[in-house]
């Protein structure tokens, strides 16, 4: 047997992150706010299903300034506040975190430090235990590591987080109670999306499938608040549908920006889309429709689900880059 241990590198921790990012507000915060880096943090915290969209950095709350304000991009967007701190966690930053959260109506708080003290782990645990289920607080330590003389690599360690087991138990209880109250139509819808989810997971899509629900449509995240990647059934119209659904104040502006990319998007998909501005509504829709009896015909579910899965994956690949490049503040498409 060949001994290759002599070829192995030595893993070494960089003792002070200040040696890489000299200034927290001028170096570390801008680095973390970059899309790829904030995505790594989101995945580490288990927020990857929704993803995080940057709103702004150094956000003003009265006379104070928070480090990073984001929002989740799933069906029910929530503001996310990130407070960065060099060194050990302290009471001053805990107070700032709560003050900023109140000013920005943030439901997810992330306290990032080189070391989170045990007292502050306990404080985070208390906050998570006495608050509503949609309010979540995380304590995260940032580390840098090298292999020999390699470039340093960051690693996020979650040391304090919501009690997911207790909250999951509550969700299970609530779901069980709600199932008892489902109408026959709702029960069929839940079964329809549950069967589709299994097929979607098996297809290994480039996004995280959402939990099935008892409704005529389900929404997946595509990286931007106010933009949903939806699957829908319509019994009156006898159709199933894959769509980009635009909602809220940005809907019409985003619709027109995306329509400027119509030719390239449809070329990527290989088929034409129905661009519905919905002039009598605040929202807008970009979709493709297939005639089908939908939920009402279980014997045909497998065929429907095959089309829905193939099409939603194609939609994600064609729309992800244009959607992520939409700029909320300036109303233009970036890059």
């Amino acid at each position: 047997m060949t001994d290759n241990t002599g070829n192995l590198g030595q893993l070494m921790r960089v003792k002070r992150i200040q040696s890489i990012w000299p200034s927290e507000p001028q170096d570390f915060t801008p680095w973390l706010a970059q899309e790829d880096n904030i995505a790594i943090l989101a995945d580490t915290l288990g927020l990857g299903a929704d993803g995080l969209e940057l709103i702004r950095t150094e956000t003003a709350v009265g006379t104070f300034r928070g480090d990073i304000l984001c929002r989740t991009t799933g069906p029910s967007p929530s503001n996310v506040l990130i407070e960065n701190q060099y060194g050990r966690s302290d009471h001053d930053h805990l107070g700032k975190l709560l003050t900023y959260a109140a000013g920005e109506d943030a439901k997810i708080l992330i306290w990032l430090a080189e070391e989170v003290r045990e007292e502050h782990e306990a404080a985070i645990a208390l906050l998570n235990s006495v608050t509503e289920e949609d309010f979540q607080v995380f304590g995260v330590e940032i580390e840098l590591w090298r292999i020999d003389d390699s470039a340093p690599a960051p690693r996020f360690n979650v040391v304090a987080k919501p009690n997911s087991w207790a909250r999951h138990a509550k969700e299970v209880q609530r779901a069980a109670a709600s199932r008892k109250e489902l109408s026959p139509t709702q029960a069929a819808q839940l079964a329809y999306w549950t069967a589709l989810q299994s097929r979607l997971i098996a297809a290994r899509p480039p996004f995280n499938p959402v939990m099935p629900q008892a409704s005529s449509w389900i929404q997946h995240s595509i990286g931007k608040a106010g933009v949903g990647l939806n699957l829908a059934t319509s019994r009156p119209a006898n159709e199933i549908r894959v769509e980009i659904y635009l909602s809220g104040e940005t809907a019409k502006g985003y619709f027109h920006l995306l329509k400027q990319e119509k030719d390239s998007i449809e070329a990527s998909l290989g088929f034409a889309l129905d661009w519905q501005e919905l002039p009598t509504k605040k929202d807008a829709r970009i979709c493709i429709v297939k005639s089908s009896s939908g939920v009402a015909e279980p014997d045909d579910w497998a065929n429907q689900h095959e089309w829905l899965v193939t099409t939603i994956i194609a939609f994600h690949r064609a729309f992800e880059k244009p959607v992520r490049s939409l700029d909320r503040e300036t109303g233009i498409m970036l890059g």
Side-chain angles (χ1 to χ4, degrees):
M1 180 180 292
T2 303
D3 184 358
N4 293 318
T5 56
N7 298 325
L8 298 179
Q10 183 177 2
L11 184 65
M12 298 173 291
R13 182 175 177 180
V14 179
K15 293 184 178 180
R16 292 287 293 169
I17 65 173
Q18 239 174 326
S19 64
I20 305 300
W21 299 292
S23 167
E24 180 264 305
Q26 296 177 12
D27 299 306
F28 179 74
T29 294
W31 172 86
L32 181 59
Q34 294 175 26
E35 183 177 317
D36 290 346
N37 300 325
I38 212 162
I40 295 172
L41 177 60
D43 287 339
T44 302
L45 298 179
L47 301 175
D50 282 353
L52 293 178
E53 175 192 3
L54 177 69
I55 299 177
R56 57 184 177 271
T57 60
E58 297 298 324
T59 179
V61 180
T63 58
F64 301 100
R65 302 192 72 84
D67 290 327
I68 299 176
L69 182 66
C70 308
R71 66 166 56 86
T72 58
T73 62
S76 301
S78 298
N79 282 355
V80 180
L81 187 67
I82 304 175
E83 178 65 13
N84 303 321
Q85 178 181 359
Y86 279 1
R88 302 181 75 193
S89 60
D90 56 40
H91 295 337
D92 177 59
H93 281 81
L94 175 59
K96 289 179 179 178
L97 183 69
L98 297 177
T99 300
Y100 302 153
E104 296 290 356
D105 191 27
K107 295 299 178 73
I108 300 176
L109 313 185
I110 303 170
W111 188 1
L112 197 60
E114 290 180 81
E115 180 184 352
V116 178
R117 297 172 56 172
E118 290 185 4
E119 299 91 331
H120 295 136
E121 290 185 40
I124 292 171
L126 176 64
L127 287 170
N128 283 318
S129 68
V130 300
T131 53
E132 296 293 331
E133 293 181 17
D134 62 347
F135 188 84
Q136 304 176 65
V137 187
F138 296 87
V140 183
E141 293 180 342
I142 173 69
E143 297 177 350
L144 285 172
W145 292 83
R146 296 181 189 272
I147 299 178
D148 295 333
D149 295 325
S150 70
R155 184 172 73 178
F156 298 111
N157 294 322
V158 182
V159 298
K161 60 184 179 179
N163 187 336
S164 58
W165 183 88
R167 294 191 174 186
H168 177 69
K170 291 180 182 178
E171 291 174 0
V172 170
Q173 291 173 354
R174 187 168 56 249
S178 66
R179 282 188 173 89
K180 295 178 182 178
E181 303 170 0
L182 293 180
S183 68
T185 296
Q186 289 174 322
Q189 290 169 338
L190 182 61
Y192 183 86
W193 296 124
T194 300
L196 179 135
Q197 186 193 42
S198 298
R199 185 179 285 264
L200 184 58
I201 292 173
R204 301 175 68 106
F207 56 88
N208 291 309
V210 300
M211 292 295 293
Q213 57 192 31
S215 70
S216 62
W217 60 279
I218 55 174
Q219 177 172 311
H220 297 84
S221 172
I222 194 167
K224 183 74 64 174
V227 184
L229 178 61
N230 295 1
L231 298 173
T233 67
S234 176
R235 189 167 184 177
N238 285 323
E239 66 181 33
I240 55 178
R241 188 171 67 244
V242 179
E243 64 188 17
I244 294 294
Y245 197 85
L246 309 163
S247 59
E249 296 179 357
T250 59
K252 300 301 187 187
Y254 282 178
F255 176 82
H256 289 291
L257 288 170
L258 289 172
K259 197 168 184 180
Q260 293 175 14
E261 306 297 313
K262 177 177 182 292
D263 290 345
S264 62
I265 290 172
E266 292 183 349
S268 174
L269 287 167
F271 50 79
L273 299 173
D274 186 5
W275 297 75
Q276 301 177 5
E277 189 174 355
L278 306 178
T280 62
K281 296 183 178 181
K282 191 175 184 179
D283 299 346
R285 174 190 290 128
I286 307 164
C287 66
I288 184 170
V289 172
K290 180 179 176 66
S291 296
S292 172
S293 54
V295 175
E297 192 175 349
D299 290 343
D300 190 50
W301 284 7
N303 293 327
Q304 296 174 36
H305 291 167
E306 181 179 0
W307 181 83
L308 288 168
V309 167
T310 300
T311 308
I312 194 173
I313 290 174
F315 259 55
H316 190 278
R317 289 172 177 158
F319 276 98
E320 183 186 24
K321 185 176 180 180
V323 165
R324 286 187 179 275
S325 69
L326 295 168
D327 184 73
R328 172 179 296 270
E329 300 298 330
T330 63
I332 62 173
M333 185 172 282
L334 303 176

